[in-house]
Amino acid sequence: MAFAQGNPRVLKGFLPNLRRFIRIYRGYERPFWMSQVFLAISALFTLLIPLMSQSLIDDGIIPGNRDAMVRSVLWMVLFAVCSALFTIANAYYAVQFAERTAHAVRMRQYRKIQTFTFGNLDQFPTSDLMVRMTSDVTAIKGAVQQVILSLAQAPVMFVGALILIYHNSPGLMWILLLVIPAVLGILAVFLFKISPLFEVQQQKLDDLNQVLQESLAGVRVVKAFVQGDYENRRYDRANQAFRQASLHPMRYVAALQPSFFLIVNLATALVLWFGGRAVSQGESTVGELMAFTQYLVTILMPLVVLAVITPQVTAAEASAERMFEVMDTLPNIDQPSQTVLPTEVPTQGRIVFENVSFGYPAPPGEAPTPVLRNINLTIEPGQTVAFLGATGSGKSTLVNLIPRFYDVTKGRILIDGIDVRHLAPEILHQWVGIALQEAVLFSGTVRENVGYGRPEAEQEELVAAAAAADAHGFISTMPEGYDAPVARRGSNFSGGQRQRISIARALAVQPRILILDDSTSALDMATEARVQEAVQNLMAATTKLYVAQRISTVLTADRIFLLEAGELVAQGSHETLLATSPLYQEIYQSQLGGAPL
């Protein structure tokens, strides 16, 4: 089965991938060609050594000519030293070229990932992308380096040795006609068999890294629920699966090199047997027999080297397939053919949903499951509105459609009369600022995090945004102030502090539309009220959208949109909904302790 799977992958995948790699190297070919020139020169010097061995025996040792012996040995030493020096030069440029490959591949993948939409990121989990950016890149770099170290050597030594063998010992050429097809046949079978196994190995590594990432990211939850043993078992299962997937190709690797050495030894025995008979019958000399043996090894050794690097190349081919899968992924949000520039329309912040429905992308052949259905609503400029509903009602999905993190399945969304699909993404994201549910901070400083969406902002503007988010107080108490360091993912701040810095980051952009997607959930009600009041004062002209599950968050909103199971079931002010909506009344009473209506 593996053979059948490997066949088309090798034939149809390798050459296109090779052509794509060649395009990556445009403008950086010099290290490659320098390395191959040095390697070819090294191979030529290596080919001269058996000739000196033949001269040493036939002209020096057998007749007892000391001068010929010394001369041959000196030439052999000179050729060996020259070969070594050019091999070192080849290695120098090969390492340069391999590191350039790793750098180029990493940057191309990283830049590609930065173009991904939310839908693309749903397709590629973080652990999967981490493996593609680390393990797969390392595999590609290692294979490129090994290939560069031996690429030109094989044809030069192969052709040169054949010419010299044909010139000196044509009667033994038939041995090569047996040995070379046998070696190539073993290589072909190996390549077809092992190719899909390395792809499975990388997939199991993805699974292993996913379990590791989840366990480490949620280690506090694991500790809180005393589930260390369960996580150990889960990681062990993934680790065992990866081990088994790694063992399968290694079994072929383990058999490959001994098979080659067996062929080399059998070929050497044939040469000594039939060559020895030729020497005893006076048809050849001992020096010629020795030279033939060395040239036979010279011809076969590049093939043996090929056997050594073939597993690396095959693994790298599987990694290249995964890399190009990322590179070939198209953003599932089409760029507008004709974009509307911000100078063409004044930005007021009016939002209209016209019969909007949405379903997350489904696997090929399956229809998307509707998450939102027939949403019609209007938000006027400067209004403060809130979206309320149970978990899974579609609140976050609805507001994520405004900055076009996803495209609607049906209907359209207008900002100031313009379909968001006609706005360039960079313009749309200047107009719309958002603090997401998860308050993600980046390692660096507080200043860099608050000004992340607007690096050119003045200090006063950053302070104003932080003050409105109720973050300036705790920031100013730190010795470094806004230059205080932020650890990875903001782990040196509490959950509430991270949320407030995240809100400040959204405010610093000074958007015309501000979305706070459940971004005050870690704040107490008093702090939340202060933030809402400060945001209202700072962003009075801005259209403000709150997504909330706590009814205390939405009490002062101009308009509340109540969602249930992806549908808009009610809208109005707090007083209106309290008087007309049974669902809103139920939420109000359950959260505020049965307060009187």
Side-chain angles (χ1 to χ4, degrees), residues 28-255:
Y28 196 78
E29 301 92 344
R30 185 173 179 272
F32 171 79
W33 293 116
M34 292 294 292
S35 71
Q36 297 312 292
V37 168
F38 288 136
L39 186 59
I41 296 173
S42 171
L44 291 174
F45 278 114
T46 302
L47 286 171
L48 295 175
I49 294 176
L51 288 179
M52 294 302 101
S53 298
Q54 178 181 339
S55 176
L56 174 65
I57 295 172
D58 290 344
D59 301 332
I61 295 176
I62 293 178
N65 187 334
R66 183 179 179 83
D67 291 339
M69 292 170 60
V70 172
R71 185 170 58 252
S72 298
V73 169
L74 289 176
W75 278 113
M76 289 174 68
V77 171
L78 176 62
F79 293 153
V81 170
C82 291
S83 177
L85 291 176
F86 282 106
T87 300
I88 292 171
N90 159 252
Y92 173 79
Y93 283 102
V95 169
Q96 276 195 356
F97 192 77
E99 291 297 337
R100 167 68 180 181
T101 299
H103 175 268
V105 167
R106 279 195 211 99
M107 289 308 302
R108 283 172 178 252
Q109 282 198 93
Y110 190 77
R111 291 192 183 106
K112 182 66 178 184
I113 292 169
Q114 296 307 312
T115 69
F116 278 5
T117 64
F118 277 37
N120 296 136
L121 295 172
D122 293 339
Q123 177 185 350
F124 293 98
T126 302
S127 59
D128 183 290
L129 293 175
M130 288 294 292
V131 171
R132 293 172 194 248
M133 290 287 292
T134 53
S135 176
D136 285 334
V137 171
T138 301
I140 292 170
K141 182 188 78 171
V144 168
Q145 182 169 315
Q146 290 300 320
V147 168
I148 300 302
L149 286 172
S150 56
L151 183 62
Q153 184 183 41
V156 171
M157 295 184 72
F158 191 84
V159 174
L162 279 179
I163 293 172
L164 292 171
I165 286 175
Y166 182 78
H167 182 266
N168 288 339
S169 307
L172 298 177
M173 285 288 291
W174 63 272
I175 297 176
L176 292 177
L177 298 179
L178 291 177
V179 172
I180 293 174
V183 171
L184 294 177
I186 291 176
L187 270 178
V189 172
F190 175 84
L191 188 63
F192 282 116
K193 287 283 188 180
I194 203 172
S195 182
L197 298 181
F198 277 115
E199 192 166 337
V200 172
Q201 180 187 17
Q202 291 300 103
Q203 292 170 354
K204 296 301 179 183
L205 182 59
D206 286 345
D207 297 340
L208 181 67
N209 276 275
Q210 182 174 351
V211 173
L212 178 62
Q213 183 198 32
E214 290 177 351
S215 178
L216 294 180
V219 65
R220 290 176 175 82
V221 177
V222 175
K223 293 292 184 182
F225 288 89
V226 198
Q227 289 299 306
D229 290 340
Y230 169 76
E231 291 299 328
N232 287 338
R233 292 193 298 271
R234 193 162 74 105
Y235 186 78
D236 183 60
R237 286 194 297 269
N239 203 13
Q240 289 283 3
F242 176 61
R243 183 178 70 87
Q244 290 297 330
S246 300
L247 281 175
H248 291 162
M250 289 302 107
R251 293 192 181 105
Y252 288 98
V253 173

Side-chain angles (χ1 to χ4, degrees), residues 441-455 459 462 481-486 501 505 508:
L441 302 185
F442 300 98
S443 56
T445 66
V446 172
R447 183 191 312 278
E448 291 169 345
N449 275 274
V450 175
Y452 187 78
R454 191 164 162 250
Q459 174 71 11
L462 297 182
Y482 282 80
D483 293 317
V486 176
I501 293 175
R505 180 169 57 200

